[in-house]
Amino acid sequence: MNDGADTGAKSVGAEFIASRLKQLPTGPGVYRMIDATGQPLYVGKARNLRNRVTAYTRPSGLPERIRVMVGHTEELEIVSTHTEVEALLLESNLIKQLRPRYNVLLRDDKSFPFILLRKDTEWAQLLKHRGARNRDGEYFGPFASAGAVNRTLNTLQKVFPLRSCSDSVFSGRTRPCLQYQIKRCVAPCVDYISADEYSHIVDQARAFLSGRSREVQRDMSKRMEEASNALDYESAAIYRDRIRALTQIQAHQDINVGSIGEADIIAAHQDGGTTCVQVFFYRAGQNYGTRTYFPNHAKSIPVDEVLEAFIGQFYSDKKPPKLVLVSHRLPSQDLMAEALTVRADRKVDVSRPQRGSRRNLVENAVQNAADAHARRLSESSTQRKLLEGVADLFDLEGTPRRIEVYDNSHISGTNALGAMIVSSEEGFEKNAYRKFNIKNPDTVPGDDYAMMREVLTRRFARALKEDPERNSGTWPDLVLIDGGPGQLSAAMEVLEELGISDQPIASIAKGPDRDAGRERFHVPTRQPFTLPMQDPVLYFMQRLRDEAHRFAIGSHRNRRSKDIGRSVIDEISGIGAKRKRALLNHFGSAASVARAGLMDLEAVDGISSAVAQRIYDHFNGGQ
């Protein structure tokens, strides 16, 4: 019976799509399939929209996954483009923006760091930069991670001892700092070097970051010989040490990059229905690090299609390099190269090398992807075993795919907030973490039970409103509360008030003397229990609890630090930073301002009679 209903639904979806065919253009563009709730199911591109969409009207010839998607389709949106390249670019942007469930999805929420050579200062500076490239200077990168940038900057300081301090520290120095003592700065702050000599070091650093390291080494060798011939052995020793550091950098380039100056190497390894994509960044002939990705996709999608979808989304918000080397021939490789050329506003070559040093680079990237994939499978296997243990521990119907852990944080009731962390088969899902500022004015400061009630009410009331059918995968299979029976009781009251009777829930409380390993678990309708000290599930539950505590404390600390600079004076309308500073300088503290008389307030520079009256009324009730 269910199979018949399924087939009927698929037929209805196919019939709807067929009814729209006559309205579709025959040129290039992008189509979006949408379900009954208005959520996008799939985004695709086509050279001929009508021909491409026609394929969905014959479900019997489609893979099962696509047949199910067609069955859920109740709306079709079309965007025509001038060229197929424009359609590819638009498709990548929409997939990354809308995240349709039937597309290959790249999870990439981090920007890449660069090295910035500042030009907006008399004494140039090399520093790490992340975000919009709107500062005046030259940018080198991208680097795969902050660690890769930090390692590079650390090495560069040994060869090119430019200042690393902020402008305020630089302008306030009267003697050299420790960086000068360890030969990582030439102390321009106290005029230990001329502007011309400093500029020469800046030029060398620029040349090195631009790939002209041999030229820099020859120049240093020449200067070392000149200093030695002039019997200036101290300067000669400085150049000798810099040449040694530069040689070490070149020696660490363990793979011969040959003629490659600027390239990304993107390699994929697929096994067991999952794919690992490894991206190596090469700039100026140097390896700027690597980053690993595990895009979400259906098990039936072949590796070359996953790789092509990945590349389209990867470069949707970043400028591609001149050369992209890939491990597999892409289904639309020439089209992708043309699209990346449009994105970069210059020629971009997409190539799968067959021999030579470039082939060696790609094979090395593939091996790295395979190793990362094996580690991921091993970690996932361990994680699944732990989740199976959690299911047994709390009598869940199946292995939990999503566990939500809740904790509160405050100091004597101030800056109170609740925190939620999420764990799944993939580990901690940090993009799903949430913090809840406690807003209810009736909540007594420090009342943990009331705080927990407010947090869970907001969380699950919203879940009921946005996903009452629980189809989106954002409902937890287990709710874990950091606390004892009181917190658990408060949480259960919330669920009961909202009419949620089937939500598995438990709490974890610290044991006697707050000893780790002696935690007690509280579950409705069961007596409290503990686990053996060496039980892996106990360690897992401790990790969940500790991560929730860490996130809650960190969020609370950030909120508290923002409030440190605030005072009661900020609550008075018309009092800006200048008047606030004048009041504090005159009276010494906000408390003294609150106790001041009207004539005392009028005596402060910049405080008129009207403003003084406003301040006085604020602290004295307008009487």
Side-chain angles (χ1 to χ4, degrees):
M1 179 179 290
N2 289 339
D3 289 344
D6 250 6
T7 303
K10 293 166 190 171
S11 299
V12 169
E15 289 172 2
F16 165 75
I17 295 173
S19 69
R20 295 287 302 275
L21 289 179
K22 292 183 180 179
Q23 305 170 24
L24 300 184
T26 56
V30 172
Y31 59 94
R32 276 182 283 180
M33 294 181 169
I34 299 172
D35 67 12
T37 65
Q39 295 298 311
L41 295 168
Y42 183 79
V43 174
K45 70 170 187 343
R47 179 185 303 173
N48 184 312
L49 282 168
R50 184 181 299 174
N51 288 350
R52 180 69 186 90
V53 175
T54 298
Y56 296 108
T57 64
R58 298 185 288 271
S60 59
L62 298 173
E64 175 62 21
R65 178 180 66 92
I66 303 302
R67 287 203 298 269
V68 172
M69 178 189 74
V70 169
H72 288 131
T73 300
E74 294 200 10
E75 185 56 70
L76 187 67
E77 293 186 356
I78 299 296
V79 178
S80 295
T81 60
H82 291 94
T83 65
E84 192 179 2
V85 169
E86 289 182 12
L88 175 58
L89 293 172
L90 178 59
E91 177 197 39
S92 300
N93 288 336
L94 288 175
I95 291 173
K96 198 159 188 178
Q97 174 188 342
L98 301 175
R99 303 188 63 78
R101 81 174 99 156
Y102 286 94
N103 282 99
V104 175
L105 299 179
L106 166 62
R107 297 174 57 186
D108 179 26
D109 56 354
K110 294 182 179 179
S111 61
F112 292 96
F114 286 76
I115 285 179
L116 168 63
L117 178 61
R118 291 180 58 195
K119 286 185 176 179
D120 58 351
T121 175
E122 180 182 359
W123 301 94
Q125 178 186 18
L126 286 172
L127 70 161
K128 178 173 63 179
H129 178 87
R130 191 191 290 270
R133 294 162 62 179
N134 51 16
R135 297 187 65 175
D136 186 19
E138 298 178 55
Y139 294 85
F140 301 92
F143 289 79
S145 64
V149 171
N150 293 335
R151 287 190 296 272
T152 301
L153 285 173
N154 182 56
T155 304
L156 287 176
Q157 276 192 296
K158 298 177 183 178
V159 185
F160 312 108
L162 303 176
R163 74 181 185 94
S164 58
C165 55
S166 65
D167 290 344
S168 58
V169 171
F170 181 86
S171 61
R173 299 251 14 134
T174 57
R175 56 190 180 88
C177 66
L178 179 62
Q179 292 295 312
Y180 174 79
Q181 303 297 331
I182 62 176
K183 299 182 180 179
R184 295 198 175 189
C185 182
V186 289
C189 54
V190 290
D191 298 325
Y192 277 24
I193 187 172
S194 69
D196 288 343
E197 277 296 310
Y198 193 85
S199 294
H200 181 75
I201 297 176
V202 172
D203 291 339
Q204 288 184 322
R206 181 185 293 108
F208 175 81
L209 289 169
S210 300
R212 306 197 305 273
S213 59
R214 300 299 178 187
E215 174 187 321
V216 173
Q217 188 169 17
R218 287 194 298 270
D219 180 71
M220 287 186 177
S221 297
K222 178 182 177 182
R223 287 174 173 259
M224 181 180 68
E225 290 181 9
E226 291 174 349
S228 179
N229 293 335
L231 305 182
D232 185 0
Y233 299 117
E234 184 176 354
S235 296
I238 291 174
Y239 284 114
R240 179 202 62 201
D241 293 341
R242 292 182 189 174
I243 292 171
R244 285 178 179 174
L246 189 58
T247 303
Q248 289 177 353
I249 296 174
Q250 294 164 343
H252 288 161
Q253 298 298 318
D254 52 347
I255 299 176
N256 179 20
V257 298
S259 60
I260 291 180
E262 175 185 324
D264 286 346
I265 299 170
I266 306 180
H269 174 81
Q270 191 176 82
D271 187 22
T274 60
T275 305
C276 174
V277 179
Q278 199 90 0
V279 183
F280 281 78
F281 301 90
Y282 282 89
R283 298 295 184 272
Q286 300 177 57
N287 186 347
Y288 278 6
T290 180
R291 189 174 286 191
T292 305
Y293 297 89
F294 292 89
N296 291 337
H297 63 85
K299 292 183 178 181
S300 59
I301 300 180
V303 63
D304 58 340
E305 292 185 19
V306 174
L307 188 60
E308 180 169 279
F310 172 89
I311 291 173
Q313 294 175 55
F314 183 75
Y315 291 115
S316 66
D317 58 356
K318 56 181 69 70
K319 187 175 181 179
K322 297 177 182 178
L323 176 62
V324 178
L325 299 180
V326 295
S327 59
H328 298 75
R329 172 77 187 180
L330 305 181
S332 305
Q333 186 159 302
D334 294 340
L335 181 65
M336 179 62 71
E338 193 175 347
L340 296 184
T341 295
V342 172
R343 180 82 66 191
D345 199 23
R346 56 168 165 70
K347 175 68 175 176
V348 174
D349 182 26
V350 178
S351 171
R352 180 175 179 255
Q354 301 297 314
R355 61 184 67 85
S357 60
R358 295 187 176 186
R359 177 63 183 172
N360 293 337
L361 287 172
V362 173
E363 288 179 347
N364 176 71
V366 170
Q367 185 58 53
N368 276 268
D371 293 343
H373 191 273
R375 289 193 298 271
R376 176 67 168 259
L377 289 178
S378 176
E379 292 168 0
S380 297
S381 175
T382 302
Q383 183 83 350
R384 279 196 298 271
K385 289 180 180 178
L386 290 171
L387 291 174
E388 289 169 0
V390 171
D392 292 338
L393 181 65
F394 296 110
D395 297 325
L396 304 180
E397 292 183 359
T399 303
R401 292 170 298 175
R402 179 184 174 104
I403 300 175
E404 294 182 359
V405 190
Y406 293 85
D407 191 15
N408 297 326
S409 183
H410 63 87
I411 293 179
S412 300
T414 63
N415 295 307
L417 59 80
M420 176 192 85
I421 66 119
V422 177
S423 179
S424 70
E425 286 187 351
E426 306 299 326
F428 291 121
E429 302 282 349
K430 296 194 175 183
N431 60 337
Y433 287 14
R434 296 292 182 268
K435 58 177 179 285
F436 301 81
N437 293 323
I438 303 302
K439 301 176 180 179
N440 192 337
D442 297 330
T443 298
V444 177
D447 187 343
D448 286 335
Y449 301 155
M451 291 170 60
M452 186 61 68
R453 278 192 290 268
E454 179 176 342
V455 168
L456 292 176
T457 298
R458 288 162 57 185
R459 161 67 179 111
F460 284 96
R462 181 172 182 175
L464 285 171
K465 179 180 178 181
E466 296 182 350
D467 185 24
E469 302 300 324
R470 310 189 188 186
N471 293 324
S472 67
T474 58
W475 277 76
D477 298 297
L478 174 66
V479 168
L480 184 64
I481 306 296
D482 183 10
Q487 280 88 351
L488 179 61
S489 177
M492 291 173 61
E493 289 175 6
V494 170
L495 297 177
E496 185 177 351
E497 290 171 2
L498 294 174
I500 302 173
S501 59
D502 57 348
Q503 174 61 59
I505 187 169
S507 71
I508 176 173
K510 295 181 176 66
D513 301 321
R514 307 176 73 83
D515 284 348
R518 303 177 65 186
E519 286 84 358
R520 294 177 67 82
F521 295 92
H522 301 267
V523 182
T525 72
R526 289 171 60 182
Q527 291 296 316
F529 59 90
T530 59
L531 292 176
M533 291 281 285
Q534 304 301 322
D535 192 327
V537 177
L538 174 61
Y539 292 144
F540 179 62
M541 302 304 290
Q542 289 172 340
R543 281 174 50 210
L544 295 180
R545 186 266 320 278
D546 293 344
E547 173 67 4
H549 190 61
R550 180 203 63 79
F551 181 61
I553 291 293
S555 301
H556 175 261
R557 186 179 294 120
N558 290 338
R559 183 178 174 189
R560 194 171 72 246
S561 64
K562 291 179 182 179
D563 289 344
I564 287 177
R566 300 180 60 190
S567 74
V568 291
I569 300 176
D570 294 317
E571 301 172 3
I572 308 171
S573 62
I575 302 298
K578 187 174 181 180
R579 283 173 171 165
K580 175 184 176 182
R581 190 181 307 113
L583 288 166
L584 292 176
N585 288 340
H586 185 90
F587 291 104
S589 68
S592 297
V593 175
R595 293 192 299 267
L598 184 59
M599 295 182 63
D600 295 329
L601 292 169
E602 292 175 352
V604 179
D605 290 339
I607 303 298
S608 65
S609 298
V611 173
Q613 186 68 54
R614 192 183 309 145
I615 297 170
Y616 183 82
D617 290 345
H618 178 83
F619 291 114
N620 294 275
Q623 297 177 354

